[in-house]
């Protein structure tokens, strides 16, 4: 009798579509999922919500946060109307355009992503509407509550010790590791998550994100 397939490892991942670091981490996670059984559940969070009320941000970053409302609102609306299964698909279509192609979070980009994901074009109307902002903020807050206020995007939650769940901000990495390197990082993260009391491991970022 063949050995039973291992149960998928549950993974919750919080992202803002305009965050390049979340994009890098999400591509690494999908690389792992190509070789290991994972049950990835995608959730939105928002850098605009995270930085509300801050006046000390550079103008370029404030502009990105303002433009970032559109993609995250559309992803939230799509998930509300069609279920969470569409979230990862739409995120990939958005992120490919925003980050890999360097097109930014314009309405044209959102419209193209909706078409690629097989979703109704009228969902773009939610880019300028706050209809699902309560759901967006609730999802954002759930991610923040997992790791604390001194964090950002991405947030990842995975199995911890004794059947619990452990969440981290990150991992922040560039470029996204592939093949054996991706799996080694995954195994290391699982080990850290299963270590009672482990809280933080950090160093400065040597350069910006590298998209391959």
């Amino acid at each position: 009798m063949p050995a039973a397939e291992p149960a998928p490892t549950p993974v919750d991942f919080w992202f803002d579509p305009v965050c390049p670091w979340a994009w890098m981490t999400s591509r690494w996670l999908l690389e792992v999922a190509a070789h290991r059984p994972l049950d990835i559940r995608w959730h939105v969070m928002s850098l605009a919500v995270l930085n509300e009320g801050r006046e000390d941000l550079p103008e370029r970053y404030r502009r990105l946060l303002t433009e970032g409302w559109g993609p995250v609102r559309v992803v939230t609306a799509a998930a509300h109307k069609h279920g969470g299964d569409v979230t990862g698909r739409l995120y990939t279509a958005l992120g490919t355009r925003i980050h890999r192609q360097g097109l930014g979070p314009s309405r044209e980009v959102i419209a193209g992503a909706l078409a690629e994901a097989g979703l109704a074009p009228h969902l773009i109307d939610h880019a300028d509407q706050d209809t699902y902002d309560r759901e967006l903020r609730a999802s954002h807050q759930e991610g923040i509550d997992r790791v604390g206020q001194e964090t950002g995007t991405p947030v990842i939650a995975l199995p911890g010790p004794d059947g619990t769940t452990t969440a981290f901000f990150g991992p922040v990495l560039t470029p996204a590791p592939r093949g054996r390197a991706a799996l080694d990082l995954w195994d290391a993260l699982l080990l850290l998550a299963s270590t009672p009391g482990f809280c933080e491991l950090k160093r400065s970022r040597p350069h910006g994100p590298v998209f391959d």
Side-chain angles (χ1 to χ4, degrees):
M1 177 179 293
E5 290 290 329
T9 301
V11 185
D12 289 278
F13 187 82
W14 281 263
F15 66 92
D16 185 324
V18 300
C19 176
W21 300 104
W23 173 252
M24 304 295 289
T25 307
S26 71
R27 299 311 96 179
W28 158 73
L29 192 57
L30 288 177
E31 175 74 4
V32 175
H35 303 280
R36 300 280 178 83
L38 303 185
D39 177 18
I40 305 173
R41 295 166 299 214
W42 305 93
H43 311 275
V44 295
M45 62 188 305
S46 169
L47 291 172
V49 172
L50 184 68
N51 290 282
E52 278 182 326
R54 290 189 58 183
E55 301 295 336
D56 59 331
L57 299 173
E59 174 60 30
R60 180 174 177 274
Y61 192 63
R62 288 204 302 269
R63 186 168 64 251
L64 175 65
L65 298 183
T66 300
E67 295 171 347
W69 276 108
V72 75
R73 279 173 164 166
V74 170
V75 173
T76 304
H80 182 83
K81 292 176 177 292
H82 300 288
D85 289 346
V86 306
T87 304
R89 188 167 77 243
L90 180 55
Y91 178 33
T92 290
L94 281 166
T96 298
R97 289 163 171 78
I98 293 172
H99 303 298
R100 290 194 63 187
Q101 298 175 13
L103 299 178
S106 67
R107 288 184 68 87
E108 292 77 15
V109 161
I110 298 172
L114 286 169
E116 181 181 330
L119 296 168
H122 66 75
L123 283 169
I124 198 173
D125 295 340
H126 292 282
D128 305 313
Q129 298 173 359
D130 62 2
T131 309
Y132 297 108
D133 277 11
R134 186 158 76 173
E135 288 82 356
L136 188 164
R137 289 175 179 274
S139 178
H140 172 90
Q141 192 60 47
E142 182 184 3
I144 293 295
D145 288 345
R146 299 289 188 99
V147 291
Q149 293 295 324
E150 296 180 4
T151 187
T153 174
V155 168
I156 189 170
L158 59 164
D162 303 323
T164 61
T165 299
T166 299
F168 297 116
F169 162 53
V172 176
L173 42 87
T174 186
R178 303 290 182 183
R180 184 72 251 172
L183 299 179
D184 287 345
L185 176 59
W186 172 253
D187 291 337
L189 192 62
L190 284 177
L191 178 60
L192 292 176
S194 65
T195 303
F198 176 80
C199 296
E200 185 175 2
L201 184 67
K202 186 176 182 179
R203 67 173 178 171
S204 298
R205 303 175 191 177
H207 48 69
V210 177
F211 305 113
D212 57 13

